[in-house]
């Protein structure tokens, strides 16, 4: 076997040696292979990377079948069916499509593999669509679901899958990975890994994007300066505005490229009039882009709340005499001052409200109002009436 083949398909999976060993064994030995798997782990632990590597190992004819593994990892192999929703939820139509395609025999590889990322975004009705397909799949079809935890799925789904739990990497491990991938210095890598709370994707973004680092720092400092209701309204608005701008930056270029591609496909020149027969397709694309923008904004706000959670976690740790493991070391003076001014009960109340705010925004609460309510608790130490 060549050195290159030895790296595939697991070369991009990092820090999950036990999980790789389990899945590699399952790909080699049909007796060790379950028909449906659930890969769980915290955000940034590499669930989807591992799922696609497993798919490549299952579909490839041999351990040195490099061409097939590359095709699977690129997402272009006909025996890989992958769903990563960019909307708020996985729809019933999407689930039905996956279920229908799971009954096709593999066309080229050893198995047909159905990968569903973000399986926690299924509603109960959507989950029920998958039950029969998961319970009685064809002999050569393997399902791989990904979610933060098994508790995020219905018991009826959990009972039909084999769960594989990933470990959470250490800050030092993530920092070493950033140095290897990006070439940044060790101090910057450690800071990015610490601020990202070991989320590999976010750590890489912080390590390579100065604007992201600046936005994070400005947001935390702004919240620490909140003293009045007028501050609450101003800072909440700034957070939503920054998250909205960030979401637009992530989606605008792709939206424009998708629209241009669609119009070229149907023969409409750039800037030309869209004929009535094509308007329905353009409208459908725009609706999908709106759903993706909503998801992107919620994800951005969730990152802000995660950063704020780290801030008040640090305050709580200092109040209980713990300085090891502080995430926001660059703000240690401000954190110590706040820890001395507050009682631990107040810090815990803010942390509880943070968790509730995250849930409220996920359930479609108006972001500015949800953040204002949270910041009122920060300012007053009491829940808003």
């Amino acid at each position: 076997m060549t050195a290159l083949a030895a790296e595939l398909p697991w070369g991009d999976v990092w820090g999950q040696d036990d999980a790789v060993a389990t899945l590699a064994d399952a790909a080699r030995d049909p007796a060790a292979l379950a028909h449906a798997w659930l890969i769980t782990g915290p955000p940034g632990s590499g669930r989807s990377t591992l799922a696609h590597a497993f798919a490549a190992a299952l579909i490839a004819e041999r351990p040195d079948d490099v061409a097939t593994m590359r095709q699977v990892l690129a997402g272009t192999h006909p025996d890989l069916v992958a769903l990563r929703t960019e909307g708020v939820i996985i729809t019933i139509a999407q689930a039905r499509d996956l279920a229908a395609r799971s009954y096709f025999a593999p066309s080229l590889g050893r198995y047909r593999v159905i990968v569903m990322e973000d399986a926690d975004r299924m509603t109960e009705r959507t989950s029920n669509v998958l039950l029969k397909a998961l319970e009685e799949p064809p002999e050569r079809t393997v399902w791989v679901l990904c979610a933060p935890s098994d508790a995020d799925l219905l018991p009826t789904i959990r009972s039909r899958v084999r769960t594989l739990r990933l470990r959470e990497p250490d800050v030092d491990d993530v920092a070493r990975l950033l140095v290897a991938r990006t070439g940044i210095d060790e101090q910057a890598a450690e800071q990015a890994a610490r601020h990202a709370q070991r989320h590999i994707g976010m750590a890489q973004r912080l390590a390579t994007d100065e604007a992201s680092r600046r936005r994070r720092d400005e947001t935390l400092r702004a919240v620490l300066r909140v003293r009045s209701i007028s501050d609450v309204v101003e800072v909440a608005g700034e957070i939503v505005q920054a998250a909205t701008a960030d979401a637009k930056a992530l989606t605008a270029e792709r939206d424009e490229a998708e629209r241009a591609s669609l119009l070229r496909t149907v023969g409409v020149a750039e800037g030309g009039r869209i004929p009535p027969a094509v308007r329905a397709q353009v409208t459908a694309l725009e609706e999908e882009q709106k759903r993706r923008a909503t998801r992107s904004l919620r994800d951005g706000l969730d990152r802000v709340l995660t950063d704020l959670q780290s801030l008040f976690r640090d305050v709580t740790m200092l109040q209980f005499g713990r300085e090891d493991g502080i995430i926001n070391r660059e703000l240690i003076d401000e954190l110590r001052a706040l820890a001395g001014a507050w009682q631990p009960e107040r810090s815990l109340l803010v942390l509880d409200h943070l968790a509730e705010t995250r849930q409220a925004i996920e359930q479609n609460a108006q972001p500015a109002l949800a953040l204002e309510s949270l910041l009122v608790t920060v300012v007053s130490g009491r829940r808003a009436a």
Side-chain angles (χ1 to χ4, degrees):
M1 185 184 302
T2 66
L4 178 61
E7 295 174 1
L8 291 172
W10 312 104
D12 287 336
V13 179
W14 176 85
Q16 304 292 346
D17 293 347
D18 291 343
V20 167
T22 297
L23 295 180
D25 183 56
R28 285 190 302 265
D29 181 7
L33 181 62
H35 68 273
W37 298 73
L38 171 61
I39 300 176
T40 67
S45 58
R47 300 184 304 254
S48 61
T49 301
L50 183 60
H52 284 85
F54 184 35
L58 287 169
I59 293 171
E61 291 289 345
R62 304 172 309 280
D64 62 349
D65 186 0
V66 173
T68 295
M69 288 189 283
R70 282 178 170 167
Q71 193 176 2
V72 175
L73 293 173
T76 58
H77 195 283
D79 292 326
L80 171 69
V81 181
L83 173 64
R84 182 185 185 278
T85 182
E86 294 176 316
V88 176
I89 61 170
I90 293 174
T91 66
I92 290 178
Q94 289 172 318
R96 284 176 176 157
D97 179 62
L98 288 187
R101 296 172 72 180
S102 73
Y103 290 102
F104 297 161
S107 57
L108 297 174
R110 291 187 301 148
Y111 293 93
R112 175 171 290 269
V113 183
I114 315 293
V115 175
M116 177 186 279
E117 302 181 34
D118 306 312
D120 53 305
R121 293 184 184 176
M122 288 191 292
T123 64
E124 182 173 355
R125 290 181 61 202
T126 304
S127 297
N128 290 333
V129 170
L130 294 185
L131 288 179
K132 185 176 180 181
L134 287 172
E135 190 172 28
E136 302 174 357
E139 183 179 354
R140 295 173 66 195
T141 291
V142 177
W143 284 82
V144 187
L145 311 183
C146 302
S149 76
D150 53 1
D152 293 316
L153 278 73
L154 294 179
T156 48
I157 295 289
R158 299 200 299 266
S159 67
R160 289 163 170 79
V161 300
R162 177 178 172 182
T163 300
L164 186 67
R165 294 177 177 86
L166 304 187
R167 77 174 188 89
E168 191 169 6
D170 297 328
V171 168
D172 290 343
D173 293 335
V174 176
R176 282 194 293 271
L177 180 66
L178 293 177
V179 171
R181 282 186 177 177
T182 69
I184 64 171
D185 65 75
E186 293 181 0
Q187 183 177 355
E190 187 277 337
Q191 184 186 76
R194 176 164 40 86
H195 285 177
Q197 298 176 67
R198 299 168 289 182
H199 185 300
I200 296 171
M202 183 50 58
Q204 185 157 329
R205 187 178 184 195
L206 289 173
T208 58
D209 184 0
E210 182 181 356
S212 294
R213 295 194 298 272
R214 185 177 63 253
R215 278 194 297 272
R216 182 185 188 279
D217 182 69
E218 289 174 351
T219 297
L220 297 189
R221 292 182 184 277
V223 170
L224 287 172
R225 289 195 301 269
V226 170
R227 295 289 183 273
S228 65
I229 296 301
S230 62
D231 292 340
V232 163
V233 175
E234 180 181 353
V235 171
E238 289 174 356
I239 291 173
V240 173
Q241 185 177 15
T244 302
D246 201 26
K248 286 181 178 179
L250 290 171
T251 59
E253 186 176 345
R254 179 176 174 184
D255 289 351
E256 185 58 35
E258 287 176 343
R259 179 182 174 88
S261 177
L262 172 62
L263 294 179
R264 281 197 306 271
T265 301
V266 297
V268 177
E270 183 176 354
R273 177 179 174 275
I274 299 175
V278 178
R279 286 175 188 163
Q281 297 178 57
V282 174
T283 299
L285 174 63
E286 290 172 347
E287 290 300 318
E288 177 60 30
Q289 290 175 340
K290 287 178 184 177
R291 286 190 289 269
R292 186 166 65 210
T294 298
R295 180 75 259 167
S296 183
L297 174 58
R298 289 187 184 179
D299 288 346
L301 290 169
D302 191 72
R303 285 192 294 271
V304 171
L305 293 172
T306 299
D307 292 334
L308 294 179
Q309 195 171 43
S310 76
L311 189 75
F312 293 105
R313 165 200 172 276
D314 287 348
V315 171
T316 305
M317 289 184 65
L318 290 170
Q319 288 171 328
F320 286 98
R322 294 281 304 277
E323 292 213 9
D324 56 312
I326 295 296
I327 293 170
N328 300 286
R329 295 176 193 163
E330 296 74 16
L331 298 172
I332 190 64
D333 291 340
E334 292 89 338
L335 296 174
R336 284 175 178 152
L338 200 57
W342 286 11
Q343 293 298 313
E345 292 79 8
R346 180 168 175 176
S347 303
L348 294 172
L349 177 65
V350 171
L351 287 170
D352 285 344
H353 202 162
L354 269 163
E356 293 167 10
T357 302
R358 172 179 281 115
Q359 185 177 20
I361 290 176
E362 186 64 31
Q363 294 175 351
N364 212 28
Q366 212 283 333
L369 293 178
L371 287 168
E372 286 173 10
S373 177
L374 170 65
L375 293 178
V376 167
T377 299
V378 172
V379 169
S380 66
R382 299 186 302 274
R383 295 295 187 118

